[in-house]
Amino acid sequence: MAEIGSLERRKLEKLLGMGSGYVLDFSDRTYAEFFIDFRVDIDAPQFRTGGDSKAKRMRTFWDIAPSHTVGKVLDGLIAYGVENDHLGDSNPVLIDDCRKIAQRLLSDQPVTDLDALTAIADERDFEVVAEHVREAIEKNQPEGALDRLHTFVNKFIRITCEPHGITISRDKPLHSVFGEYVKALRESGHLESVMTDRILRSSISVLEAFNDVRNNKSLAHDNPILNYDESLLVFNHVASSIRFIKSLEARIKAKSLQQTTESTWNDSIPF
């Protein structure tokens, strides 16, 4: 549940005009549509346990949804209210206080580098699996998406390896492909420290163990799934590694482009 104190609740309720059961200017239809943009079905039974009005469903949402999700919705509501002038006579101090509440809740993200888990190729299936992975974390259910995270990592690593001349085949396991990738980085001088090299090499065995998790402790098969805390550890390790690799690949690409530009410029000099 979102950690919102009693004073913070009063401020939010005042800002959103919840005293009479409403929330801003929303009808039931537009209220549901607003929440759908944040992957929340506010009409679902779990949000009606405290009552059916929009304000009562909002209070129940605060009680049961993860902090990060509540923060995103509140941030969106404040932006909507300001843009459409629906915050009534709310003073700037109250608006600012409520924004700070939303930002505090937003900072409570169970996977620090979640934004790194995005598709790096214009492929529909890649984009869909990336969206499902992020959605699981936004719902605070990492154990339910380990199989999709494994699929995402497979796609990401194989696409990343192609420019390095690494042969990709369906029969080559993920950890073997990643091992060749680390070797290519090392031999090309893209790694500046021994420690980075060792961290990446240790990820080879981690990815091999991920195969076992996917096959025996995820919803890929009829298995007892991995517990929440260990699933969250897997997600954080993978997301952190993906973020680093994306940053490294961007640096490699920029360096290659600079070298090509300098070579072209030098070749154009007539003396």
Side-chain angles (χ1 to χ4, degrees):
M1 63 175 285
E3 296 183 3
I4 307 176
S6 57
L7 177 59
E8 291 180 324
R9 282 176 178 261
R10 287 197 293 273
K11 289 181 178 180
L12 290 169
E13 292 199 13
K14 182 178 180 180
L15 183 72
L16 299 177
M18 294 169 56
S20 56
Y22 292 94
V23 174
L24 297 178
D25 68 328
F26 289 110
S27 65
D28 283 336
R29 178 183 61 80
T30 59
Y31 194 54
E33 290 173 350
F34 178 87
F35 272 88
I36 287 297
D37 287 341
F38 297 91
R39 300 191 182 97
V40 176
D41 180 8
I42 198 64
D43 290 332
Q46 66 262 34
F47 298 119
R48 294 181 179 272
T49 55
D52 291 331
S53 75
K54 287 179 281 294
K56 287 179 178 178
R57 279 182 283 159
M58 178 66 78
R59 296 185 188 102
T60 304
F61 169 68
W62 292 347
D63 287 338
I64 65 177
S67 293
H68 184 75
T69 302
V70 172
K72 286 203 306 180
V73 170
L74 288 175
D75 191 58
L77 284 168
I78 295 169
Y80 170 84
V82 170
E83 181 179 350
N84 295 281
D85 196 24
H86 289 316
L87 297 181
D89 297 327
S90 299
N91 61 64
V93 174
L94 178 61
I95 295 174
D96 187 56
D97 284 349
C98 290
R99 278 199 178 110
K100 289 177 180 177
I101 296 170
Q103 290 304 312
R104 177 180 62 76
L105 295 170
L106 273 168
S107 68
D108 187 13
Q109 172 62 269
V111 176
T112 305
D113 293 305
L114 180 62
D115 290 342
L117 301 180
T118 55
I120 57 172
D122 189 17
E123 297 179 8
R124 177 60 181 162
D125 55 344
F126 197 1
E127 293 171 353
V128 168
V129 75
E131 182 177 349
H132 285 177
V133 165
R134 294 194 303 276
E135 182 178 1
I137 293 301
E138 289 167 0
K139 291 182 177 179
N140 205 25
Q141 298 173 342
E143 64 272 46
L146 289 170
D147 56 329
R148 282 163 286 173
L149 180 64
H150 188 274
T151 300
F152 173 87
V153 174
N154 258 294
K155 289 180 175 295
F156 176 84
I157 294 300
R158 294 176 190 279
I159 291 173
T160 301
C161 285
E162 288 176 358
H164 294 272
I166 297 171
T167 303
I168 307 296
S169 69
R170 294 182 64 87
D171 297 329
K172 189 182 293 186
L174 174 61
H175 64 279
S176 296
V177 175
F178 189 73
E180 292 184 35
Y181 173 65
V182 175
K183 181 180 179 182
L185 292 176
R186 184 171 58 251
E187 292 179 347
S188 299
H190 295 309
L191 304 179
E192 295 182 3
S193 73
V194 174
M195 184 174 182
T196 302
D197 180 34
R198 288 183 178 177
I199 290 172
L200 289 175
R201 278 192 286 169
S202 70
S203 294
I204 299 170
S205 58
V206 170
L207 289 176
E208 184 175 15
F210 196 10
N211 291 330
D212 178 70
V213 168
R214 185 264 181 193
N215 292 327
N216 300 306
K217 294 217 176 265
S218 82
L219 295 177
H221 303 291
D222 185 15
N223 298 316
I225 61 176
L226 193 63
N227 65 73
Y228 171 85
D229 290 323
E230 291 189 39
S231 298
L232 201 56
L233 177 64
V234 171
F235 260 90
N236 271 293
H237 177 84
V238 168
S240 177
S241 299
I242 295 294
R243 182 203 58 75
F244 171 76
I245 292 171
K246 280 187 172 182
S247 177
L248 176 63
E249 287 296 319
R251 193 164 70 245
I252 292 171
K253 185 176 181 179
K255 183 178 179 180
S256 176
L257 181 61
Q258 180 182 9
Q259 291 174 341
T260 300
T261 301
E262 290 177 352
S263 176
T264 302
W265 185 81
N266 289 333
D267 290 344
S268 67
I269 298 176
F271 52 85

